[in-house]
Amino acid sequence: MQTELSKHLGVEYPVFGFTPFPAVAAAISRAGGFGVLGAVRYTAPDDLRRDLDWIEAHVDGRPYGLDVVMPARRIEGVTEADVEAMIPEEHRRFVRDTLARYGVPGLADGEPSGWRITGWMERVARGQLDVALDYPIRLLANALGSPPPDVVARAHGHGVLVAALAGSARHALKHRDAGIDVVVAQGYEAGGHTGEIASLVLTPEVVDAVAPLPVLAAGGIGSGRQIAAALALGAQGVWLGSLWLTTAEADLHSPALTRKLLAAGSGDTVRSRALTGKPARQLRTAWTDAWDDPDGPGPLPMPLQGLLVAEAVSRIQKHEIDPLLGTPVGQIVGRMNDVRSVRAVFDDLTRGFARAVADVNRIAGTGRSAP
């Protein structure tokens, strides 16, 4: 399962695993893939430094990367308080009424209300980059378009490849023109923010558009035969995120959420603006239904929606209010039926890949099927 990109990065398998959990990122790299730590929740540089120290101590010298959320254009002089002042009272009342309807308790006095807008602000992402470049990361990925030109140049100056996610060939061409090294073609099936083009269509479109830049296929991939299909479409690897949520190394802090993920089918997700204001695939819940109800006020645009619901989401998660409890996850959730170690997931992926390639060779008359 070697490609030019995996050889360049020195990994055994071109399987890139995005995760917010350091233990999962390290385990992915130890298993022969490429772990990518999501940095958006690290609003304090010392917290990111602590977890990168941990990864360094547990990755066995294998390569890994970091994923940030950095807008390409800077908006000067706007504070979190300025943004919060833009939220209409109608929407605040809707949140209060919805939580009251389901009996969601409040947070304790002084208890932090979880992730807010800060992880999306450019100054925070630049602080994350300042920390990350003190470590031997091999890849910097950006989930919100191309990073600013000076960030691309700075990463290249440290020998770090830069990747960016794209939901269309048009987006991918912008990344190419911005000097991006790796394009992640993220299909409609993916968890989190995603576009409207399915992976089977999107991947070859992006491969053809940006050739010879390497492309990673993302969205709805969770088996070895799907990896084989992605490589057959011209990708040089795959970018997997949702699949790791139910691994033993993941730390969701919610047995109820884990149970919901294990029980969910591929049709139990929805693209909703309820979480951030931009369409993001997540578990369908009474919370997403409420925001998508035409009789309600509807979600606010990013970043207002994320700021509005941050405390509510923290309360729902802390108290595990089952009808409202959800998380970003892709349609591959239908295959996530048990808790397994990252190593066991990799064993399944590689065996499935070998069988798929052998079967195709058999069909083409060039080999025999795998057992």
Side-chain angles (χ1 to χ4, degrees):
M1 206 194 294
Q2 283 284 298
T3 65
E4 291 183 17
L5 182 60
S6 64
K7 292 176 183 177
H8 177 78
L9 290 171
V11 294
E12 188 174 356
Y13 308 114
V15 176
F16 294 71
F18 164 80
T19 174
F21 306 116
V24 175
I28 290 169
S29 290
R30 288 199 307 271
F34 190 97
V36 182
L37 179 67
V40 70
R41 67 190 180 95
Y42 293 98
T43 56
D46 287 347
D47 291 342
L48 178 58
R49 192 176 301 278
R50 176 201 64 216
D51 282 357
L52 288 176
D53 283 339
W54 190 94
I55 289 176
E56 273 291 296
H58 291 84
V59 82
D60 294 346
R62 304 292 184 91
Y64 61 94
L66 192 75
D67 180 279
V68 298
V69 179
M70 182 178 292
R73 288 179 290 184
R74 177 181 300 181
I75 301 176
E76 299 286 356
V78 177
T79 67
E80 183 175 332
D82 294 331
V83 176
E84 187 156 8
M86 302 176 190
I87 297 174
E89 178 56 32
E90 176 191 15
H91 286 75
R92 296 185 187 277
R93 184 170 56 250
F94 181 77
V95 169
R96 291 194 298 267
D97 292 347
T98 304
L99 295 178
R101 188 180 314 129
Y102 289 91
V104 182
L107 299 175
D109 289 344
E111 185 175 357
S113 60
W115 172 78
R116 291 171 69 82
I117 188 179
T118 48
W120 296 78
M121 298 179 75
E122 183 189 8
R123 63 174 176 79
V124 175
R126 286 182 178 274
Q128 294 163 352
L129 182 63
D130 291 341
V131 172
L133 292 180
D134 288 338
Y135 294 81
I137 65 169
R138 298 293 307 280
L139 180 76
L140 176 71
N142 191 44
L144 199 65
S146 304
D150 68 295
V151 171
V152 176
R154 187 177 175 197
H156 288 167
H158 283 76
V160 176
L161 296 181
V162 180
L165 277 65
S168 69
R170 178 174 56 87
H171 293 156
L173 288 170
K174 290 183 178 180
H175 294 333
R176 181 200 63 187
D177 295 344
I180 300 303
D181 305 292
V182 180
V183 176
V184 181
Q186 180 172 271
Y188 170 85
E189 308 94 326
H193 295 133
T194 186
E196 298 182 351
I197 305 174
S199 298
L200 192 64
V201 174
L202 179 66
T203 300
E205 282 188 355
V206 172
V207 167
D208 291 344
V210 302
L213 284 185
V215 172
L216 301 178
I221 300 172
S223 70
R225 55 187 162 176
Q226 289 173 306
I227 296 175
L231 299 188
L233 293 172
Q236 289 201 30
V238 293
W239 177 276
L240 311 182
S242 299
L243 191 64
W244 317 110
L245 289 174
T246 54
T247 55
E249 293 87 347
D251 190 8
L252 288 177
H253 298 293
S254 175
L257 181 55
T258 298
R259 287 196 299 272
K260 291 189 76 169
L261 288 170
L262 295 175
S266 57
D268 292 329
T269 69
V270 63
R271 278 176 82 242
S272 171
R273 295 170 53 215
L275 188 61
T276 68
K278 289 185 67 175
R281 186 170 298 284
Q282 55 202 283
L283 282 179
R284 181 176 181 178
T285 66
W287 180 255
T288 61
D289 287 347
W291 283 105
D292 294 339
D293 188 337
D295 293 331
L300 295 167
M302 179 186 279
L304 300 180
Q305 182 71 11
L307 189 58
L308 169 67
V309 305
E311 180 178 333
V313 171
S314 295
R315 290 165 59 182
I316 292 166
Q317 291 176 343
K318 176 182 178 180
H319 299 290
E320 296 190 307
I321 309 301
D322 195 84
L324 305 177
L325 186 63
T327 186
V329 69
Q331 291 179 328
I332 198 63
V333 70
R335 293 185 63 91
M336 295 157 50
N337 301 318
D338 53 10
V339 176
R340 297 179 293 165
S341 68
V342 169
R343 172 63 71 176
V345 171
F346 258 88
D347 288 345
D348 183 59
L349 293 175
T350 54
R351 284 196 299 266
F353 175 85
R355 286 194 297 269
V357 171
D359 286 345
V360 170
N361 286 338
R362 175 182 55 79
I363 293 168
T366 58
R368 295 162 57 184
S369 61

